[in-house]
Amino acid sequence: MANKEGHRRFGNVRKLPSGRYQARYPGPDGQMRNAPETFARKSDADRYLTLVEAQMVRREWVDPERAKVKLGDYAQRWIEQRPNLRPRTVHLYGWLLDKHIVPYLGGVELGRLDTPMVRDWRAELLGNGVSVSMAAKAYRLLRAVLMTAVKEDQILTRNPCRIPGADQEKAAERPVLTLAQLFKLADIVPPRYRALVLVTAFGCLRWGEVSALQRQDIDTAGGTIRIRQAYTEQRGVGLVLGPPKSRAGRRTVTLPPAVVEVVRDHLAAEVDDDPDAFVFTTESGRPIWRGNLNKLIAWKASVSRIGQPNLHFHDLRHTGNTLAAKTGASTRDLMARMGHDSPQAALIYQHATAEADRAIAQALHEAVRTDRKKAKKEQAKDKRKDKGGKKTKERGGK
């Protein structure tokens, strides 16, 4: 916008020897800045300065120099500086960044990222055979990184990750064991690991939680187990003992009496009297690695024998959560048992239980309808017989 003397109130435009126009303007700090590109027409340079001035008035302006940081560098620092991340989460984020984000977008400046670019990146991931679930994980990480650039560092004015549904995983429904299958599996595995199967399922425990249980965490008199720590596996470091996955992970869970009896026998036969002795170990007394589990208990062969060849060990927790939800427990009680801060997971299991309950109701309805139809047919048949009998009597009387 020009004043009476023909000069702009905000910024200035000058014609370069090349014939193009350069726009310059003062930032909030008083330092003059050049537009990131030159313009073919003076009117385009004027329009650019008008937009920059409007952004400053609305407090939406960001320093273009700061926005020149490469996404790969910024995301790496984001992971390193993120507070309270568990080691396993740090490893996952680093892997997702190196595998699915940096090769495509790592060299792009933050200020040049836009939604079409993010959409193309996701489409390329899926086109290269990356699963929807993995692409969703990478998308959520990218969105979280850029949200920090928007809200905390104020490098961007808006997050370009705005693709509906891109954050949603469409994982296949995991199998749920029946009680008969669960106890059959416990009987099939070596006796040393029978209690491991039952405690994981009926206690709704994660692998890191059950593998970190110590004798002092078991109260056979009260029938409870205390979850206060968990193992994580860190590449290049090994097994690391630390706090549970979340604050709600610290909890006490009550086991059914039938399972407590199995735990009592296991403690007597397989665990030292030392309160610090781990409850579930290898025969040599060493902690169990997740990767060693299949070999230790012949997992694949065992689950095949119960008719669930695709069952994962984590599905034991899934089974326990489902069984707990079927008891009619409240959302808060399920959250406490599962060790969740958010009600989302508990609601999923309750929803599944509600669906099953509706299916039962529908089946009962169909049974009632069938029975009523049968009863009506019988009544109609009896009426026809009665009618036929009356007519015979009437003819006989005449």
Side-chain angles (χ1 to χ4, degrees):
M1 182 181 294
N3 60 20
K4 291 182 179 179
E5 288 76 27
H7 297 288
R8 290 188 56 86
R9 183 183 69 241
F10 176 80
N12 59 70
V13 176
R14 66 170 180 166
K15 190 173 184 177
L16 300 173
S18 64
R20 295 182 66 82
Y21 292 87
Q22 181 186 57
R24 303 182 75 237
Y25 61 92
D29 55 4
Q31 297 294 320
M32 294 298 292
R33 289 171 171 77
N34 296 332
E37 56 188 359
T38 58
F39 303 90
R41 296 176 298 183
K42 184 175 183 295
S43 60
D44 293 336
D46 287 332
R47 188 177 300 110
Y48 171 82
L49 290 174
T50 300
L51 291 174
V52 170
E53 183 181 19
Q55 288 175 347
M56 288 189 179
V57 170
R58 296 194 300 266
R59 296 186 178 181
E60 294 177 353
W61 178 84
V62 295
D63 189 343
E65 289 300 315
R66 295 182 64 209
K68 287 182 179 180
V69 61
K70 302 292 179 63
L71 172 63
D73 297 333
Y74 184 82
Q76 186 61 51
R77 287 200 301 273
W78 184 90
I79 294 174
E80 293 171 356
Q81 297 172 358
R82 201 69 179 166
N84 302 322
L85 286 183
R86 291 169 59 82
R88 193 173 175 195
T89 304
V90 172
H91 172 72
L92 172 62
Y93 284 172
W95 184 85
L96 287 171
L97 183 65
D98 293 340
K99 182 75 174 178
H100 296 312
I101 297 178
V102 167
Y104 302 85
L105 300 172
V108 179
E109 296 176 358
L110 290 187
R112 294 187 177 277
L113 281 170
D114 56 21
T115 300
M117 192 180 297
V118 173
R119 188 183 298 112
D120 290 342
W121 160 72
R122 179 174 178 270
E124 190 171 357
L125 281 184
L126 297 174
N128 289 342
V130 177
S131 68
V132 173
S133 177
M134 190 58 65
K137 286 182 172 65
Y139 178 86
R140 291 199 299 271
L141 173 59
L142 177 62
R143 183 178 61 186
V145 169
L146 296 181
M147 188 56 68
T148 298
V150 173
K151 290 189 173 182
E152 298 177 22
D153 295 337
Q154 297 182 340
I155 295 175
L156 302 176
T157 57
R158 61 183 289 180
N159 194 329
C161 291
R162 307 174 71 86
I163 304 172
D167 60 340
Q168 298 176 8
E169 299 183 43
K170 296 181 176 66
E173 183 67 28
R174 298 306 309 159
V176 176
L177 299 183
T178 64
L179 287 173
Q181 288 176 320
L182 181 55
F183 277 97
K184 184 177 180 180
L185 177 62
D187 290 337
I188 290 174
V189 301
R192 183 181 186 85
Y193 304 108
R194 184 168 189 262
L196 173 66
V197 170
L198 295 178
V199 169
T200 302
F202 285 100
C204 304
L205 301 186
R206 302 176 178 90
W207 168 252
E209 294 170 346
V210 72
S211 60
L213 287 175
Q214 293 176 299
R215 177 179 275 274
Q216 61 182 297
D217 300 319
I218 310 295
D219 178 7
T220 54
T224 62
I225 53 176
R226 178 181 53 170
I227 298 90
R228 57 185 177 85
Q229 58 189 12
Y231 268 126
T232 56
E233 298 177 14
Q234 297 182 31
R235 180 176 295 179
V237 178
L239 287 176
V240 176
L241 199 60
K245 185 176 182 180
S246 65
R247 183 174 56 183
R250 294 180 181 273
R251 62 199 190 278
T252 298
V253 177
T254 303
L255 297 175
V259 177
V260 174
E261 287 297 323
V262 176
V263 173
R264 185 180 287 112
D265 293 342
H266 175 80
L267 292 174
E270 309 291 353
V271 184
D272 293 339
D273 291 334
D274 186 346
D276 293 331
F278 286 96
V279 177
F280 301 112
T281 62
T282 64
E283 290 188 3
S284 62
R286 300 176 66 84
I288 304 174
W289 284 71
R290 187 192 301 260
N292 292 344
L293 192 63
N294 180 43
K295 182 178 179 181
L296 286 174
I297 62 178
W299 179 260
K300 291 184 178 179
S302 298
V303 296
S304 294
R305 286 179 61 184
I306 65 170
Q308 292 285 2
N310 296 318
L311 190 80
H312 298 162
F313 190 86
H314 187 73
D315 293 328
L316 294 178
R317 169 175 159 86
H318 179 59
T319 293
N321 291 343
T322 303
L323 292 173
K326 286 182 178 179
T327 65
S330 68
T331 302
R332 184 175 295 277
D333 289 340
L334 287 175
M335 287 172 58
R337 190 170 185 86
M338 297 176 192
H340 282 287
D341 288 312
S342 165
Q344 183 177 1
L347 288 173
I348 290 173
Y349 286 103
Q350 286 182 319
H351 174 71
T353 302
E355 290 289 343
D357 192 59
R358 281 192 286 273
I360 292 171
Q362 184 61 32
L364 291 172
H365 174 65
E366 295 298 332
V368 170
R369 285 181 59 188
T370 301
D371 187 71
R372 285 183 175 178
K373 284 183 180 180
K374 184 178 179 181
K376 285 182 179 180
K377 286 182 179 180
E378 292 292 337
Q379 289 175 359
K381 187 176 179 181
D382 291 341
K383 284 183 179 179
R384 286 195 298 271
K385 284 182 180 180
D386 290 343
K387 237 180 187 180
K390 286 180 181 179
K391 288 182 178 178
T392 302
K393 286 181 180 178
E394 287 174 0
R395 286 197 296 271
K398 290 177 179 179

